Amino acid sequence: MHKEEVAVPGIEKKVEKLLNPFQRFIADQTTSSKVLLLTTVVALAFANSGFAEQVYAGLHSMFGFAINDNLYQMSVLHWVNDGLMALFFLLLGMEIKREVLVGDLSSPSNLIPVLAAAAGGMFFPAIIFATLNLGTPYIAGWGIPMATDTAFAVGILALLGSRAPLAAFSFLTGLAIIDDIGAIMVIAIFYTDSINALYIALSAVLTALLFVLNYLGIRRPFWYLVIGVLLWLSVLSSGIHATIAGILIAAAIPARPKYKASVMVERLAKVTQRFQRLVINRGANQPVLASKTQHQLADELKNTANQATTPLRRWEKLLHTPVGLLVLPVFAFSNAGVQLDASSLSSTLNSTLAWGIFLGLVVGKGIGIPLMVWLTIKTGIGKLPQGLNMWHMVGLGMLGGIGFTMSIFITGLGFAGDLATQEIAKTAILFTSLFAGVLGYILFKVAPSNKVKKGNQYAG
């Protein structure tokens, strides 16, 4: 081994410890994107098979529950879009809160270029779509091309291996999160038909109660779950889309550990010392954790270490797998199945709605994202992340054109009850997301070296 190749003891472990959380996030998003892609293919296969009518009937069948003489029921599709997707928005809200408090979005130097990119990625697509559809019934879909599907976009970056710098993942994640904040605001403000003042007031009271629990230091998930369900029911009845309840709940989840760091260090040290003494004093042939006392101490050590983390981080981690492997695939299967025959494809190609979505996502984000980053650099208010250059920004802009989940979601809100229009929009979203993903992959593949000018970078 050459001298320059000799590893410094301990450094590799420290670096691994530092990178592991984000690497786990990338792995989660990659797995989610694969499952989401498979489910979408299955949904398309069913929609274009002899089972299409049965699937449609199943999704629109009604079920619910009764309290006394009052019957509460919705279609299966409604339960998926208003119920299950509230969990997705809850996870999304927790990710947003964590990023703002301690993540990349907590630092102004990191936030400015990402914020500018996200603004360009929302403004330009909306303007392009509105320009093409102004004065038509399709104008209601102007919010469709605004959001980015994090799972698919990060999944494609992961496929690139070493061609995608680590900074590209954090930049794209921050960009997608801010995009999603914009999409959430659009849903809450512009895709609400009527407001019930009584339920709005009740929702406000329940939200305030969640923040009171946080202020009082209550960490048990039971109370947040009970009040969260009541809040979801209240928002569902208010006229605002029920998934917004997930964002409100996430905002109130405690982001502080139960005890100060000094207290936790002292407690962990004491429990660890007791555990070590038991292990050292065990019988020669007795295995570790053979006694009940050792198991109790191991559990105490685990619980003590768990208290050093925040409920926000623990609950976010807990939701990642069910949302990525259940909620989003069920949503995709329920909403992404469109007929791809000659007639439907012809309708899509001749529709300004479809072209508004395509040009909004591909051109709007493909130009808006890198252009706004370039402007922040030229004006001196922002700097490129270390390891990225403007070619990478063009590639990230194209990956930002993968709308999918949020775009399909907004389609259902903008054209509720108009199935023909929804079919056109969903078909356009599917093909546009595929086109943007492939083109973004190619742009990263042919991107020049990751080196950037010294004056155009910030650390980490």
Side-chain angles (χ1 to χ4, degrees):
M1 182 179 287
H2 298 292
K3 185 176 181 181
E4 62 271 20
E5 295 175 340
V6 177
V8 180
I11 292 296
E12 292 162 325
K13 289 184 178 179
K14 291 179 181 178
V15 172
E16 183 182 6
K17 184 177 180 181
L18 178 66
L19 297 181
N20 265 346
F22 198 67
Q23 288 172 340
R24 284 195 296 271
F25 171 81
I26 294 170
D28 288 343
Q29 297 297 314
T30 304
T31 303
S32 178
S33 67
K34 291 176 181 177
V35 175
L36 203 56
L37 178 60
L38 177 62
T39 310
T40 303
V41 171
V42 172
L44 290 171
F46 270 100
N48 293 275
S49 71
F51 298 101
E53 289 187 10
Q54 291 92 322
V55 172
Y56 179 86
L59 289 173
H60 289 82
S61 60
M62 307 294 288
F63 83 97
F65 55 92
I67 300 178
N68 295 327
D69 294 330
N70 298 316
L71 180 64
Y72 300 91
Q73 62 176 0
M74 298 188 295
S75 68
V76 173
L77 184 62
H78 201 175
W79 278 107
V80 170
N81 291 346
D82 282 34
L84 275 182
M85 284 300 283
L87 293 175
F88 167 71
F89 277 76
L90 172 60
L91 176 61
L92 182 63
M94 289 193 287
E95 288 178 345
I96 291 171
K97 184 171 182 177
R98 174 177 48 78
E99 284 294 322
V100 170
L101 292 177
V102 296
D104 289 335
L105 302 184
S106 63
S107 168
S109 61
N110 290 8
L111 179 60
I112 290 174
V114 180
L115 190 61
M122 289 186 285
F123 178 77
F124 283 88
I127 289 297
I128 289 174
F129 183 95
T131 301
L132 286 174
N133 292 282
L134 196 64
T136 74
Y138 298 145
I139 192 64
W142 64 272
I144 293 173
M146 288 181 62
T148 296
D149 192 294
T150 312
F152 272 134
V154 171
I156 290 176
L157 271 185
L159 293 176
L160 288 158
S162 61
R163 296 298 300 176
L166 187 61
F169 288 94
S170 58
F171 193 96
L172 180 59
T173 302
L175 165 66
I177 285 174
I178 296 173
D179 268 0
D180 286 336
I181 294 174
I184 290 164
M185 293 175 65
V186 166
I187 291 170
I189 298 172
F190 298 102
Y191 288 92
T192 298
D193 294 328
S194 59
I195 296 294
N196 186 308
L198 177 62
Y199 282 106
I200 288 289
L202 179 59
S203 299
V205 170
L206 290 169
T207 302
L209 184 56
L210 286 171
F211 279 98
V212 170
L213 292 179
N214 185 336
Y215 179 77
L216 294 175
I218 295 174
R219 299 291 190 267
R220 291 187 62 187
F222 172 79
W223 297 110
Y224 290 89
L225 177 62
V226 170
I227 297 174
V229 170
L230 293 175
L231 177 59
W232 176 80
L233 289 169
S234 179
V235 175
L236 178 67
S237 304
S238 71
I240 299 175
H241 201 271
T243 51
I244 299 301
I247 300 295
L248 297 176
I249 296 167
I253 291 175
R256 303 182 308 275
K258 188 173 183 179
Y259 301 105
K260 293 182 179 179
S262 57
V263 175
M264 293 309 305
V265 169
E266 183 180 349
R267 287 190 174 192
L268 282 170
K270 287 181 179 179
V271 177
T272 303
Q273 288 171 4
R274 288 164 56 199
F275 185 77
Q276 286 175 336
R277 284 196 297 270
L278 271 177
V279 172
I280 293 172
N281 296 329
R282 76 187 192 280
N285 298 322
Q286 187 183 21
V288 178
L289 297 181
S291 70
K292 182 178 179 181
T293 306
Q294 289 176 7
H295 275 286
Q296 289 175 341
L297 267 179
D299 288 338
E300 186 178 347
L301 182 62
K302 178 183 176 181
N303 293 333
T304 304
N306 207 32
Q307 289 175 349
T309 64
T310 67
L312 180 69
R313 186 69 189 95
R314 291 199 302 272
W315 301 349
E316 178 190 344
K317 185 178 179 181
L318 184 67
L319 273 181
H320 257 297
T321 299
V323 168
L325 302 185
L326 176 64
V327 173
L328 290 182
V330 169
F331 171 81
F333 180 82
S334 303
N335 292 273
V338 294
Q339 291 187 335
L340 301 177
D341 53 29
S343 176
S344 62
L345 291 175
S346 176
S347 298
T348 301
L349 288 173
N350 293 312
S351 170
T352 56
L353 169 63
W355 284 107
I357 292 171
F358 178 83
L359 294 176
L361 285 170
V362 174
V363 178
K365 286 188 178 288
I367 292 177
I369 289 173
L371 175 62
M372 293 302 291
V373 173
W374 180 80
L375 286 175
T376 63
I377 294 169
K378 287 301 179 182
T379 56
I381 61 174
K383 297 177 182 178
L384 275 176
Q386 187 174 7
L388 296 181
N389 52 43
M390 282 307 303
W391 188 273
H392 291 130
M393 290 297 107
V394 175
L396 289 177
M398 194 53 58
L399 291 181
I402 304 175
F404 200 75
T405 303
M406 289 294 282
S407 295
I408 291 177
F409 189 80
I410 294 174
T411 295
L413 298 179
F415 304 112
D418 189 347
L419 296 181
T421 300
Q422 286 188 34
E423 287 275 313
I424 293 173
K426 289 177 182 179
T427 303
I429 291 166
L430 291 173
F431 281 103
T432 300
S433 296
L434 177 62
F435 180 86
V438 171
L439 190 54
Y441 180 89
I442 293 172
L443 287 170
F444 266 91
K445 270 291 187 182
V446 300
S449 170
N450 296 344
K451 293 179 181 178
V452 291
K453 293 180 180 181
K454 187 176 181 181
N456 286 345
Q457 64 183 29
Y458 62 76

